[in-house]
């Protein structure tokens, strides 16, 4: 059970593409994910609302079956309006002052020298407001084809991810000592060579020798997030993440959170080292009945083929080729894509394929929405957080109101009940989540072991 007085962290979710509201009358401007103004407006709205961060999801993958793109994905925009979120961060940072900005980069695609230089640069440009969402990636079959690389088996991708993160931490924490940057105009000394260290790594998936040439930013290491709740994913989160995105119904969610906390302790970290943030859709209306009606109308707009395409995106499995009246077979061919949404529907009370399709049609990957008046959805969200010991929410844009209704109606209600921080503490994203002064990784984080002081250098 959680603590009913715990302040909840609030992140706002957005894919790198258009919002689900793009078809609604009066929201034509939301079709323009290729327009920088679209992103700046969204970021400013999130900042004004007092959210801890805006999260921009991303993947090189897209829905395929048997190595071919699924036409419905193109037609119905399942990943077909995305821009590269990394390219947006500086513009968003320049247009905001406090908002944290979290982006996804897969450990399958960009190697540690690329990831560490990008995030270190962004740590500077955002004034320490950047976070990295570590994933092994959705739709890895498509991504592997795109890059002309073999598709690694699922758990091997996670082994590669752990090696990637560990090497990245060595670059961030182990290259530059704290006082290595001298910048003395009188003597012309830029940095002390004795305090900038080469990293040498010869591992299973990566080989590297060299230095990260960009000096440390305010956080030194970006705030580390993780998404992907398969067993291997939860283990990665427990080992390295400072916040994790989860999407499941209450009993499974509580189990996932307890599992991540106990694994974190197993890695020598504190049980609350990882902020567990629940992906949730808030469908707010003047009455519960109206919210239910709007939800039903939104479901009616989604075809079963669209729902099956979404499922294929996350798992590689073609639900429409299976027996609709039986559960998903444990050995269903998924081409070794993501496992969270396969594991979610296994077990003794496994739903039939038809029920999984209906679930994806109604709720997608995020689970049932909170429905009702502002007071009702906050009652539901508080109950879920308290029951599962979650630390906050990653708010999905609802298909009719986008983020607007949440910002206008739900944030004030959460605030009135004392569930939000009065002010975001500190200036960096890590401080927003963990408190003023916590700019750097804590000492019990594995990244801290890579720090070099002059004495040990
Ligand atoms: C709220 C939320 C956000 C996510 N964001 C991303 C993302 O931006 N990119 C991505 O590739 N995977 C993302 N994922 C994770 C994928 O759904 C997928 O589970 C993962 O990449 C594969 O790992 P798995 O095998 O552990 O499921 C997200 C998951 C959740 C719950």
């Amino acid at each position: 059970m959680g603590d009913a007085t715990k302040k909840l962290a609030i992140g706002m979710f957005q894919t790198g593409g258009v919002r689900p509201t793009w078809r609604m009358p009066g929201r034509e401007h939301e079709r323009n994910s290729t327009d920088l103004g679209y992103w700046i407006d969204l970021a400013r709205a999130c900042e004004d609302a007092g959210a801890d961060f805006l999260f921009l999801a991303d993947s090189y993958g897209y829905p395929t079956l048997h190595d071919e793109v699924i036409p419905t994905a193109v037609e119905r925009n399942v990943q077909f309006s995305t821009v590269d979120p990394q390219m947006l961060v500086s513009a968003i940072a320049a247009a905001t002052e406090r908002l944290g900005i979290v982006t996804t980069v897969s450990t399958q695609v960009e190697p540690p020298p690329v990831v560490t230089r990008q995030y270190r640069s962004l740590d500077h440009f955002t004034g320490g407001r950047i976070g990295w969402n570590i994933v092994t990636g959705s739709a890895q079959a498509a991504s592997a084809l795109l890059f002309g690389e073999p598709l690694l088996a699922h758990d091997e991708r996670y082994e590669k991810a752990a090696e990637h993160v560990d090497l990245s931490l060595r670059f961030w924490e182990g290259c530059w000592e704290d006082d290595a940057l001298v910048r003395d105009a009188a003597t012309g000394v830029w940095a002390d060579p004795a305090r900038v260290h080469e990293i040498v790594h010869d591992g299973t998936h990566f080989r590297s020798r060299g230095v990260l040439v960009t000096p440390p930013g305010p956080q030194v290491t970006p705030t580390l997030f993780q998404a992907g709740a398969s067993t291997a994913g939860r283990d990665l989160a427990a080992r390295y993440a400072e916040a994790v995105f989860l999407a499941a119904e209450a009993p499974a969610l509580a189990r996932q959170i307890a599992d991540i906390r106990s694994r974190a302790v197993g890695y020598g970290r504190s049980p609350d080292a990882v902020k567990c943030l629940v992906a949730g859709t808030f469908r707010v209306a003047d009455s519960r009945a109206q919210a239910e009606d709007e939800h039903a109308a939104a479901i009616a707009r989604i075809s079963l083929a669209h729902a099956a395409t979404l499922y294929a995106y996350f798992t590689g499995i073609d639900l429409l080729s299976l027996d609709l009246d039986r559960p998903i077979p444990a050995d269903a061919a998924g081409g070794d894509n993501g496992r969270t949404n396969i594991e979610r529907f296994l077990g003794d009370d496994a739903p039939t394929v038809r029920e999984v399709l209906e679930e994806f049609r109604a709720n997608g990957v995020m689970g049932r929405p909170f429905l009702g008046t502002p007071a009702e959805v906050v009652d539901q969200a508080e109950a879920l957080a308290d029951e599962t010991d979650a630390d906050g929410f990653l708010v999905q844009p609802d298909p009719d109101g986008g983020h607007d209704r949440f910002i206008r109606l739900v944030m004030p209600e959460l605030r009135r009940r004392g569930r939000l921080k009065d002010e975001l503490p500190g200036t960096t994203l890590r401080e927003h989540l963990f408190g003023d002064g916590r700019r750097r990784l804590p000492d019990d984080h594995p990244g801290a072991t890579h720090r070099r002081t002059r004495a040990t250098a």
Side-chain angles (χ1 to χ4, degrees):
M1 285 294 274
D3 165 8
T5 61
K6 188 183 339 187
K7 303 282 184 196
L8 299 170
I10 301 292
M12 304 298 258
F13 176 99
Q14 175 60 43
T15 68
V18 298
R19 282 167 244 177
T21 41
W22 70 275
R23 293 172 65 192
M24 307 307 284
R27 289 184 170 267
E28 290 75 15
H29 62 288
E30 296 188 359
R31 295 176 186 174
N32 301 334
S33 60
T34 48
D35 178 342
L36 204 46
Y38 164 95
W39 297 101
I40 289 177
D41 288 351
L42 174 65
R44 285 193 172 136
C46 295
E47 171 157 287
D48 292 346
D52 293 72
F53 62 87
L54 170 64
F55 164 56
L56 301 174
D58 191 36
S59 176
Y60 276 102
Y62 45 82
T64 55
L65 285 174
H66 316 297
D67 293 348
E68 301 285 342
V69 62
I70 304 176
T72 307
V74 185
E75 186 187 285
R76 296 284 141 178
N77 180 29
V78 183
Q79 286 292 107
F80 276 84
S81 63
T82 46
V83 298
D84 184 340
Q86 291 297 74
M87 301 297 153
L88 296 170
V89 174
S90 293
I92 291 174
T96 54
E97 288 175 1
R98 298 177 306 281
L99 184 70
I101 307 161
V102 181
T103 53
T104 296
V105 169
S106 160
T107 49
Q108 285 303 112
V109 178
E110 284 101 336
V114 179
V115 172
T116 51
R117 194 166 78 137
Q118 279 186 3
Y119 278 99
R120 174 144 290 179
S121 304
L122 294 177
D123 197 30
H124 287 286
F125 300 155
T126 60
R129 293 186 279 141
I130 191 70
W132 173 28
N133 179 35
I134 305 160
V135 297
T136 54
S138 311
Q140 276 306 295
S143 179
L145 274 179
L146 189 63
F147 286 89
E149 286 173 358
L151 176 66
L152 287 187
H154 179 268
D155 286 6
E156 205 181 342
R157 289 203 294 276
Y158 272 105
E159 283 163 21
K160 181 176 175 182
E163 189 181 330
H164 188 308
V165 178
D166 192 60
L167 179 53
S168 296
L169 286 166
R170 290 179 67 197
F171 277 117
W172 280 319
E173 295 287 332
C175 244
W176 291 72
E177 289 184 30
D178 284 353
D179 48 4
L181 187 65
V182 178
R183 236 178 346 200
D184 185 333
T187 60
V189 174
W190 176 252
D192 180 351
R195 298 183 192 184
V196 176
H197 305 283
E198 193 176 68
I199 304 299
V200 181
H201 177 81
D202 189 1
T204 311
H205 300 280
F206 300 102
R207 176 181 289 186
S208 183
R209 176 180 163 181
V211 291
L212 171 57
V213 294
T214 315
Q219 300 183 105
V220 183
T221 292
T223 306
L224 300 174
F225 288 65
Q226 190 272 350
S230 60
T231 309
R234 294 195 306 277
D235 196 66
L236 184 76
R239 192 163 169 189
Y240 294 113
E242 301 172 271
V244 60
F245 298 139
L246 300 167
E249 303 293 341
L253 191 61
R255 284 196 297 275
Q256 289 179 358
I257 292 175
D259 179 67
I260 289 169
R261 298 204 193 290
S262 85
R263 284 173 192 263
V265 171
Y267 282 115
R269 305 176 68 196
S270 112
D272 50 11
V274 189
K275 298 281 182 199
C276 296
L277 308 180
V278 182
T281 309
F282 291 73
R283 205 170 242 300
V284 205
D286 290 339
S287 67
R288 170 99 191 197
Q290 191 187 336
E292 301 267 10
D293 287 350
E294 286 190 0
H295 185 47
I299 296 171
R301 293 198 293 268
I302 298 184
S303 67
L304 279 189
H306 187 166
T309 302
L310 268 180
Y311 191 79
Y313 172 65
F314 286 103
T315 61
I317 292 176
D318 180 8
L319 288 182
L320 295 176
S321 72
L322 301 176
D323 183 342
L324 295 185
D325 296 314
R326 289 176 181 277
I328 299 170
D331 59 350
D336 230 336
N337 275 285
R339 289 212 53 87
T340 303
N341 286 287
I342 302 174
E343 291 179 7
R344 185 176 156 197
F345 300 116
L346 297 177
D348 293 342
D349 52 355
T352 63
V353 168
R354 195 187 306 279
E355 286 164 343
V356 174
L357 269 172
E358 288 299 345
E359 171 64 24
F360 259 68
R361 184 179 184 189
N363 304 319
V365 73
M366 300 305 170
R368 197 175 148 68
F370 303 116
L371 287 168
T373 62
E376 284 169 332
V377 295
V378 171
D379 284 348
Q380 295 157 24
E382 279 195 288
L384 182 73
D386 299 343
E387 185 185 336
T388 61
D389 193 25
D391 297 299
F393 291 95
L394 178 68
V395 179
Q396 311 297 305
D398 91 63
D400 291 288
H403 283 307
D404 306 357
R405 291 184 192 175
F406 182 87
I407 288 173
R408 197 160 38 83
L409 302 169
V410 182
M411 285 296 272
E413 182 64 18
L414 283 165
R415 204 172 289 288
R416 200 180 61 71
R417 296 191 192 187
R419 295 309 298 257
L420 300 182
K421 291 165 277 222
D422 295 332
E423 299 247 321
L424 292 180
T427 57
T428 62
L429 176 53
R430 190 169 281 114
E431 288 170 297
H432 292 353
L433 295 176
F434 290 97
D436 203 3
R438 185 62 185 269
R439 290 183 148 216
R440 300 187 55 172
L441 287 174
D443 289 342
D444 66 0
H445 191 281
T449 60
H450 298 312
R451 285 180 193 143
R452 312 270 290 255
T453 63
R454 223 173 165 206
T456 60

